[in-house]
Amino acid sequence: MLKQNYSLADFLDIDGCDIMQRAAIFNEQWWLRMYNEKHLLYRREALSPSAPVRTVKDRYTGEIKEMLYFGSNDYLNLANHPKVIKAGMEALNKYGAGAGSVPLLGGTIDLHKDLESKIAELKGCENAIIHTSGYGSNTSTLLSLLNKNDIAIIDILAHASLIDGCKNTNIEFFNHNDCNSLESILSKNENKYRTKLIIIDGVYSMDGDITPLDKIVDLSKIYNAYVMIDEAHSTGVLGENGRGTPEHFNLLGKVDIVCGTFSKALGGVGGFIAGSNNLIKLLQYYSRGYMFSTAMTPQVTGSLIKAIEIIGDEPDLRLQLWDNIKYFKKNLLELGFNIGHSETAIFPIITANDAITREICRELHEMNIYANPVVYPAVRKRLSRIRLSLMSNHTKEHLDIVLNAMEHLGKKYDIIK
């Protein structure tokens, strides 16, 4: 166990220390302690593609291990899908390794416009804009749209990129998925600001629960506000056809701004904003992350176009994922684990104890099970958890191995009886 309860929050700023002194203190008091206690399970080095079983180099033993991989957001296994790889290779061979310039000037190729059309159609929107980073897409969009005349009303558990994009505007947070809390803030600010923008995730990345989008859209209409929803963990997973949270609630085309990343179920990298033609044209000229970043590489673009097509053409991938979700959830609950309000492929095993979370993840690693420890400040101090995420190609045997390991460790650390 760590002898002192240091967290990453303790090194955000250190009085009297410049940046290099701060770096040295962080290395000595956090990184080395974590390493010595065999709790340093971040940045593990993978030697094979994202898949249910992944080859990983153990930093402590130097061993090359075949691990059951429950640390991915690649829910449909599209990162390693043969058709996705082929489409990327074809684009690489045709266009080369890079786009050559920023998209606004000389970097736009026909594949970029094809991808924008595909993602707009998937989300039921008029148009879309693509970015090389999901984080950059959210932050630069919000920075370009909101200022001190506006207000962002944000779910307290919304993704960091959404919060960071609101640095130049007024912010109020509402309690997680709590529409009474949201309405209280909307009512209080009804006539105070030029623009009121409600900002939410479709599926929350550390909890796996779904936003009550129908109720939030209703409130937005009552209080003359707009809604922006981040579909990072919803795209390809939610909805009858995998089109995300708006489809799940029969609200396709009725959400003002739909954003997300291409790096989860679509298996690639980058981000998007979908909305009205007017909004997208504005962002093309005012979103600094779009204007001043070189355009998405052809290979990634080609792969993403194919991935979107596969979501529609191969529904069995999503159906198998949901079969796994239902099986895993049922068994975790029967064992007595606290998984919060998880409804999707993300399972938080809540331990409420940072040290226990790290120890369990260390033991799982030694059992060749790849799981991620999530502790403060990523979550609140009493909500530490082991984060397990499922893929469609996990077999029942894979799931049972993890369930058996978690039953053993849950009893050992007195999380379950």
Side-chain angles (χ1 to χ4, degrees):
M1 300 287 182
L2 287 172
K3 296 178 177 61
Q4 295 188 44
N5 192 28
Y6 287 122
S7 79
L8 290 172
D10 295 305
F11 304 94
L12 288 170
D13 185 35
I14 302 174
D15 288 342
C17 293
D18 65 25
I19 56 173
M20 297 304 176
Q21 291 169 328
R22 174 186 162 207
I25 292 170
F26 166 77
N27 183 66
E28 178 183 351
Q29 295 188 7
W30 189 88
W31 196 95
L32 287 175
R33 283 180 179 272
M34 290 285 288
Y35 179 84
N36 290 334
E37 298 294 333
K38 296 186 177 181
H39 289 159
L40 198 64
L41 299 178
Y42 307 104
R43 287 173 51 86
R44 282 177 273 186
E45 185 179 347
L47 306 177
S48 66
S50 171
V53 179
R54 196 168 199 184
T55 307
V56 176
K57 183 177 180 180
D58 191 313
R59 66 157 38 99
Y60 292 103
T61 66
E63 179 186 2
I64 306 301
K65 307 174 66 161
E66 297 296 312
M67 301 188 72
L68 290 181
Y69 188 44
F70 283 78
S72 176
N73 298 317
D74 181 21
Y75 303 119
L76 302 179
N77 299 112
L78 294 184
N80 201 34
H81 193 292
K83 293 179 183 178
V84 172
I85 294 171
K86 181 182 178 184
M89 291 298 293
E90 289 173 351
L92 177 67
N93 289 330
K94 181 177 180 179
Y95 298 93
S101 180
V102 299
L104 193 63
L105 300 179
T108 294
I109 60 175
D110 55 349
L111 288 182
H112 293 142
K113 292 193 173 183
D114 288 347
L115 178 56
E116 288 169 343
S117 295
K118 289 280 188 186
I119 198 67
E121 180 183 4
L122 185 74
K123 294 301 178 182
C125 297
E126 292 179 350
N127 205 346
I129 185 173
I130 60 172
H131 292 248
T132 55
S133 157
Y135 178 93
S137 179
N138 282 349
T139 54
S140 62
T141 295
L142 288 164
L143 288 168
S144 70
L145 294 179
L146 303 178
N147 63 32
K148 291 301 180 185
N149 297 309
D150 310 306
I151 185 169
I153 304 170
I154 312 175
D155 188 294
I156 198 167
L157 296 187
H159 193 266
S161 60
L162 298 168
I163 297 168
D164 291 354
C166 295
K167 299 292 188 185
N168 292 342
T169 193
N170 302 283
I171 300 177
E172 287 213 36
F173 293 98
F174 64 94
N175 295 332
H176 179 52
N177 279 351
D178 185 338
C179 287
N180 290 329
S181 175
L182 171 60
E183 184 169 18
S184 176
I185 295 170
L186 285 167
S187 177
K188 180 178 67 174
N189 294 288
E190 188 169 8
N191 299 308
K192 289 185 178 179
Y193 297 99
R194 178 183 60 187
T195 301
K196 297 182 291 295
L197 182 61
I198 303 166
I199 301 175
I200 54 178
D201 287 11
V203 170
Y204 286 85
S205 62
M206 292 300 161
D207 294 83
D209 54 347
I210 303 170
T211 191
L213 181 62
D214 51 348
K215 296 180 177 64
I216 290 172
V217 168
D218 287 346
L219 285 173
S220 74
K221 292 175 181 177
I222 293 170
Y223 291 97
N224 193 30
Y226 298 105
V227 176
M228 179 174 181
I229 185 168
D230 188 326
E231 288 286 275
H233 296 274
S234 311
T235 303
V237 176
L238 288 186
E240 184 179 353
N241 301 290
R243 298 172 74 180
T245 315
E247 184 182 43
H248 180 74
F249 286 97
N250 294 315
L251 289 170
L252 271 174
K254 297 179 182 179
V255 180
D256 303 293
I257 306 174
V258 182
C259 62
T261 175
F262 294 116
S263 61
K264 308 310 192 250
L266 289 169
V269 69
F272 67 86
I273 305 292
S276 68
N277 274 318
N278 289 339
L279 176 71
I280 299 307
K281 287 177 182 176
L282 178 76
L283 292 174
Q284 288 170 351
Y285 293 88
Y286 286 91
S287 175
R288 293 169 71 84
Y290 178 78
M291 295 164 58
F292 297 109
S293 294
T294 295
M296 183 180 288
T297 64
Q299 174 267 309
V300 168
T301 311
S303 289
L304 289 170
I305 291 169
K306 180 56 66 175
I308 292 173
E309 292 174 357
I310 289 171
I311 285 176
D313 294 344
E314 300 184 25
D316 285 352
L317 292 174
R318 185 174 61 262
L319 295 176
Q320 180 59 45
L321 175 66
W322 277 100
D323 187 46
N324 284 344
I325 290 168
K326 292 171 185 175
Y327 179 82
F328 203 60
K329 180 175 182 178
K330 175 179 178 290
N331 281 277
L332 285 174
L333 290 175
E334 286 179 355
L335 288 170
F337 285 105
N338 178 2
I339 60 170
H341 300 287
S342 175
E343 301 172 76
T344 59
I346 300 162
F347 287 91
I349 311 295
I350 298 171
T351 68
N353 184 295
D354 286 4
I356 288 175
T357 297
R358 291 182 176 125
E359 279 291 289
I360 289 177
C361 285
R362 176 188 63 77
E363 293 209 38
L364 287 172
H365 178 85
E366 291 171 356
M367 296 176 184
N368 294 333
I369 297 170
Y370 194 118
N372 287 314
V374 181
V375 298
Y376 179 79
V379 292
R380 294 178 182 178
K381 288 185 176 181
R382 298 299 298 171
L383 291 176
S384 298
R385 78 263 325 257
I386 299 130
R387 185 183 187 273
L388 299 164
S389 52
L390 307 188
M391 295 187 281
S392 60
N393 288 3
H394 278 128
T395 66
K396 290 295 188 299
E397 181 183 3
H398 295 150
L399 302 182
D400 285 341
I401 290 170
V402 175
L403 288 166
N404 289 334
M406 286 305 306
E407 180 179 14
H408 165 70
L409 293 171
K411 291 176 179 177
K412 177 177 178 179
Y413 289 95
D414 201 27
I415 298 171
I416 59 173
K417 302 301 180 186

